[in-house]
Amino acid sequence: MMTNSLNRMDMKNKFIFLFSALLIFGTIGCVREEFEDLPLARYSRTADIFTDNFVGLGTDFYFPYQGAKPDVFSVDENERFKGTSSIRIDVPDADDPGGNFAGAIFRIDGAGRDLQDYNALTFYARSSQAATISEIGFGQNFEGDTYRAFRTNVKFTTNWQKFIIPIPDPSKLLEERGVFQFAAGGIGPEGEEVGFSFWIDELRFENLPTLAQPLPRILNGENQSVNSFNGVTIPVTGTSVVMNADGTDISVVAAPSYFNFRSSNPAVASVNEFGEVSVLATGTSTITASLGGTSSSINATGALTVISEGPFIGAPTPPARNSGNVVSIFSDAYTNVQVDNYNGFFQFATTQGGLTSIAGENILSYTNLNFVSVNMFNSPDVDASAMTHIHLDINVRENVDPGDFIRLQIINNNGPGETSGAVNLGNYKPLISEEWVSYDIPLRDFTGLGTPNDVDLIFFVSDGTISDIFVDNIYFYR
């Protein structure tokens, strides 16, 4: 009898345990489903950047541009639009030894901000004299600048005014660290470069109900066509958005990542979220874009038609020369000198690109060219004083029209004692569309250069007459 009672008790306990386990697992399953339905945690949604002081930026947030005067920024307690203080920027004179322009970013020292709830960066500003600010905006963080947006040539007066920088697509800004950027050089009423000061106050993100009617553009709103090769990467440039605020159109230069890109033939040319077009096979594909989500998507004006000609044809192979008779800047045929970079990204330069590799061949690829430099500031002296010529190969990646030109400039001993000389390549051989042209130019033709015993810069200048070029085999020789 005792054994039967124990068995019944054991069976009862097992049933209770099984029922409890099912109840627990069922509850856990419901909780898991509930958690899966919860929205993801968001980063700080703080709107203010500067009121009477900086808000939530941390201690290490100010980063000047390369070449800019570093000590132009302060908090001014004697000038403000509202409250007790403002941001003051002192733009230097052109001949200031510390730097001839003011430019910097404000980057959050830590996690970024979630800006989905806002549609604009706003601030009040005035200057000590009527002045034009070259660039002012947000999204530049020196870590990719994925969602940069800025206005150009913004006019400040001596009176406080409110300014608006529209956000092209707020839904993209989930963790933005670059909350402000500016660049300015002093320009006087007669065009002379002079210093001045300007002040920024009440700097914050806002949701403005009057900001509407976005008009997105790629390639500056134009339909463009480019011949290319398998293995080439082509950036989509000229991306911008125009929005209307209280009847006034405001245009912002917008990073390509704000846009949603499409390819009509991905097997020929695919495009990623950064607007980088990868040419894959012979054929034709058209790249278009839109702005916004699926339910609110707006097609951008402008399109890029890519025509791939097939495998890449490289520049002519340089002749074999004794190493003592060559000072090579960029060539796979010789040992090159130390080069800092192949695109200095100087202020007012629009040029994109630099060193790239196509089908295993290293070349320089420049797009949106107005001027660009190969920089050797940190290299031991690039001494070409014993050389007699400079060689380079150029391939113009577009039609060559009357009046188009490329000017080659060499700067020696950059600084107060520098010398320089320039030549127009067309005076030696005509530029030809889609073909490599080799130039061998006597150094004596670079009037004003003198003895090239410390070459620091080599510039290619087109003033926008020619936008896209390949360059290879840059070297001095005798």
Side-chain angles (χ1 to χ4, degrees), residues 33 71 173 183 234 270 304 359 427:
E33 290 177 2
D71 54 349
L173 302 183
I234 305 170
S270 64
L304 176 66
N427 292 338

Side-chain angles (χ1 to χ4, degrees), residues 8-23:
R8 284 196 296 272
M9 288 291 291
D10 190 45
M11 291 295 293
K12 182 178 180 181
N13 289 337
K14 289 179 179 179
F15 176 78
I16 292 172
F17 174 78
L18 178 62
F19 178 78
S20 300
L22 290 172
L23 181 63

